[in-house]
Amino acid sequence: MTLHILHIEDEPDIRQIAEFALEEDFRLTQCASGDEALERAPELAPDLILLDVMMPGMDGPTTLQRLRQLPHLAHTPVIFMTAKVQPKECEQLEATGALGVISKPFDPMRLGDEIRALLGHSAA
């Protein structure tokens, strides 16, 4: 079974790189904002949410809080992506229930492995 990832990221370049990095091993649905993710969420059943922290309008933590109000997404694992990876910031993000934080810029060749590691799967 192919893991379905909902990727929420406002930067088109980062969405494109993530798509390139993940499209072979995962099924990917991308949204350009928290608002778009909330609009599309009722039709989506991702296995994982990959969520940018800093976005205009609704930031990542707020987006996650709103997605968690939807019963079918209440327990979906989430991984944040951010350039702000100071220990205190990572602790705050993990306190929201996130599995972890992937730093940006990320290595496209390793992104899938990082996701698998955070999910507890082997990198095979």
Side-chain angles (χ1 to χ4, degrees):
M1 182 180 96
T2 303
L3 195 72
H4 179 203
I5 298 174
L6 171 58
H7 180 215
I8 306 165
E9 166 65 57
D10 64 301
E11 291 291 332
D13 292 347
I14 295 174
R15 283 197 310 274
Q16 187 173 13
I17 293 167
E19 181 178 9
F20 169 78
L22 300 174
E23 67 185 349
E24 280 191 32
D25 298 325
F26 302 95
R27 188 161 67 92
L28 192 63
T29 299
Q30 294 187 311
C31 294
S33 68
D35 286 326
E36 181 184 349
L38 287 166
E39 283 175 28
R40 296 181 63 191
E43 71 194 44
L44 300 174
D47 301 304
L48 172 72
I49 299 168
L50 190 58
L51 182 54
D52 184 22
V53 172
M54 295 180 291
M55 298 184 290
M58 190 183 323
D59 68 5
T62 303
T63 300
L64 177 59
Q65 186 178 40
R66 301 270 307 275
L67 289 170
R68 289 282 187 237
Q69 294 172 3
L70 302 170
H72 73 290
L73 295 177
H75 302 290
T76 303
V78 91
I79 297 172
F80 280 108
M81 295 183 81
T82 183
K84 291 189 171 191
V85 289
Q86 296 300 317
K88 184 171 178 67
E89 287 149 338
C90 289
E91 287 171 18
Q92 290 172 338
L93 292 171
E94 289 171 0
T96 67
L99 294 178
V101 178
I102 293 176
S103 64
K104 292 195 307 192
F106 56 88
D107 178 350
M109 303 307 287
R110 301 244 341 114
L111 183 58
D113 292 339
E114 287 186 70
I115 289 169
R116 284 186 200 88
L118 287 168
L119 282 170
H121 294 149
S122 68

